[in-house]
Amino acid sequence: MGVCAASLFLINGLWADNRQPNIVILYADDWRHDTLGIAGNPVVQTPRLDELAQNGVRFTHHYVTTSICGVSRASLLTGQWMSRHGNRGFAAFQTPWSQTYPGIFREHGYHTGYIGKWHCGPFPQEQFDVGISYGGQHWYQDSDGQRVHVTQRNERDALTFLRNRPADKPFCLTVAFFAAHAEDGNPQQYLPQADSAELYKDIDIPIPLTADDRYLQRLPAFLSAPQNEGRIRWHWRFDTAEKYQTSMKNYFRLVTEVDATCGRIVDELHSQNLWENTIVIFTTDNGYFHGEHGLADKWYPYQESIRVPLIVHDPRIVQVHRGKLCDALTLNVDIAPTLLSSAGLPIPESIQGQDFSWMYLNGQSSLQETEAKQLKWRTEFFYEHPTITNRERIPSSLAVVSKSNKFIHWPEFDTEQLFDLANDPQETEDRVTNPAYAEMLQSMRERLNVLQRLAKSP
């Protein structure tokens, strides 16, 4: 289906006792859309997130508008494209705090918390009732001298927030995991907890079809150059079969550890009788190459890098319709307006994303209104990524992405690519010089110019 029909998802009535809902955002790092057992991954074990999806709605075509840690986090917080919020790497965004979702929730009486990785300039601790920022490494020295893993620390701090919160106020908590991001300065890259050592021990992780060198050679030459960061990190992690197995097993161990922590946070909500009045969202800041196209990490506008998971648990979804899939084209900038709308709070005009709660809730709009929303929902989106350091390391890229096609422009190299995703979902054949696609190419060039202007406009 296209935009998921709202008739599939029925509203369960208003929030209990007309209370405002609590909000929990579980925000992992460097997971792509299929890093979930329920998404069909044949190896990774994510039983608690799979369970969350079975009790909610899983969006199968969710994307980020910029695939890098800091920019994507700014887009989550502000509901804006990079062109609007101004974070072009890891600096502070320019959007006023009063126009971010945590700022709005706090202004309207919510107890707000942010725990974990920030990556948007200096951490504004004073803007949260509880603000604790850390990341960049897997292991820390705790106050009592014991080593603590970053995911354990995320769990401890999240549970402390939930147990110490004021009972008379709704809350909005963002748990920003560092895992499964690599520890870039460490030759081991991925450092899971000792208890996870047996996980995946006797499994051979399948090497992706497009990890073959011939697919690297099909990319623009500047992406296969030795100074390109995607190639540098590929050598760190994937350039031998043994290194690939070690890296991927440890990466998946980090993923399963985050899954377990998400489960314990859910258990805490249940234990405090909060589950039926709490919206829980799981998503990630960007996707991740597992060697596809001969690349590692993210940044570039290929599917592995820009398509990410999204699970929404909303207690108002009736039981019979939980576990449904929605294939609407949703974006990270849509999360802020969706949460604000679900809590009945104002959505500032500065937010560029769109509320998608109507897709899984029915009863608040007439059939005619729902059909009108379906017709107006996006069928494509604008992707943008800045240069990081220099064009040889991480070049800038622009793209127009739909479910069926993708046009990429690399402005610093005056290079274009065109992919027919409907027939080539792994992006193995560039159609940019194919005469049969000439009309589509011109149309997508024009759309890129239009969407880029819209992303910048106030």
Side-chain angles (χ1 to χ4, degrees), residues 103-384:
I104 296 168
F105 275 112
R106 194 180 191 195
E107 180 186 350
H108 286 83
Y110 273 69
H111 183 68
T112 60
Y114 191 98
I115 289 162
K117 183 173 175 179
W118 179 247
H119 236 176
C120 291
F123 180 60
Q125 186 170 359
E126 72 284 356
Q127 301 289 358
F128 297 95
D129 295 296
V130 177
I132 311 170
S133 175
Y134 49 86
Q137 62 192 71
H138 290 128
W139 288 96
Y140 288 83
Q141 192 83 3
D142 216 345
S143 57
D144 60 2
Q146 300 297 312
R147 291 177 79 227
V148 59
H149 194 271
V150 64
T151 303
Q152 294 174 310
R153 193 173 173 186
N154 293 144
E155 179 179 322
R156 179 189 64 194
D157 293 340
L159 295 181
T160 298
F161 174 91
L162 292 173
R163 292 167 183 169
N164 294 342
R165 64 187 173 81
D168 60 344
K169 298 177 69 173
F171 60 85
C172 175
L173 171 64
T174 304
V175 185
F177 297 95
F178 176 64
H181 196 293
E183 190 171 309
D184 294 336
N186 192 309
Q188 296 181 56
Q189 294 290 287
Y190 308 101
L191 291 83
Q193 300 169 43
D195 291 347
S196 301
E198 295 300 311
L199 284 172
Y200 313 113
K201 181 178 178 181
D202 300 319
I203 297 175
D204 274 341
I205 311 295
I207 296 175
L209 169 68
T210 56
D212 189 282
D213 188 63
R214 59 183 168 161
Y215 295 103
L216 171 66
Q217 299 310 315
R218 296 181 185 184
L219 298 181
F222 52 86
L223 292 181
S224 61
Q227 61 269 40
N228 181 271
E229 194 68 18
R231 289 298 291 161
I232 291 171
R233 298 189 185 204
W234 180 85
H235 284 291
W236 290 355
R237 302 163 191 168
F238 302 139
D239 63 0
T240 69
E242 180 181 9
K243 195 182 291 185
Y244 182 87
Q245 293 298 320
T246 299
S247 294
M248 288 305 303
K249 288 178 183 181
N250 283 331
Y251 171 87
F252 282 149
R253 287 168 183 142
L254 291 168
V255 165
T256 300
E257 291 168 4
V258 169
D259 176 81
T261 286
C262 290
R264 292 183 188 111
I265 292 171
V266 167
D267 291 343
E268 183 65 26
L269 294 172
H270 278 288
S271 72
Q272 295 191 35
N273 295 318
L274 296 169
W275 186 244
E276 293 304 324
N277 203 57
T278 302
I279 296 173
V280 178
I281 283 185
F282 172 81
T283 190
T284 70
D285 60 350
N286 47 252
Y288 211 53
F289 293 110
H290 296 165
E292 292 87 355
H293 313 287
L295 298 172
D297 244 280
K298 54 258 185 180
W299 314 304
Y300 312 127
Y302 304 117
Q303 293 294 86
E304 296 88 357
S305 170
I306 67 174
R307 188 175 166 196
V308 298
L310 174 62
I311 299 170
V312 178
H313 159 77
D314 189 315
R316 296 171 295 174
I317 302 170
V318 295
Q319 184 66 39
V320 69
H321 294 306
R322 295 181 183 181
K324 298 287 187 179
L325 304 179
C326 184
D327 73 348
L329 196 60
T330 55
L331 304 174
N332 57 343
V333 295
D334 297 331
I335 291 175
T338 298
L339 292 175
L340 293 169
S341 170
S342 295
L345 299 183
I347 300 172
E349 292 184 1
S350 60
I351 283 185
Q352 297 172 294
Q354 303 176 59
D355 169 23
F356 58 76
S357 63
W358 62 271
M359 294 180 185
Y360 55 84
L361 299 178
N362 192 20
Q364 295 177 330
S365 302
S366 68
L367 180 61
Q368 290 80 7
E369 289 173 327
T370 298
E371 290 176 343
K373 289 178 180 178
Q374 290 173 335
L375 289 172
K376 290 181 179 179
W377 193 257
R378 72 173 68 86
T379 58
E380 61 188 3
F381 75 95
F382 171 63
Y383 177 85
E384 57 182 345

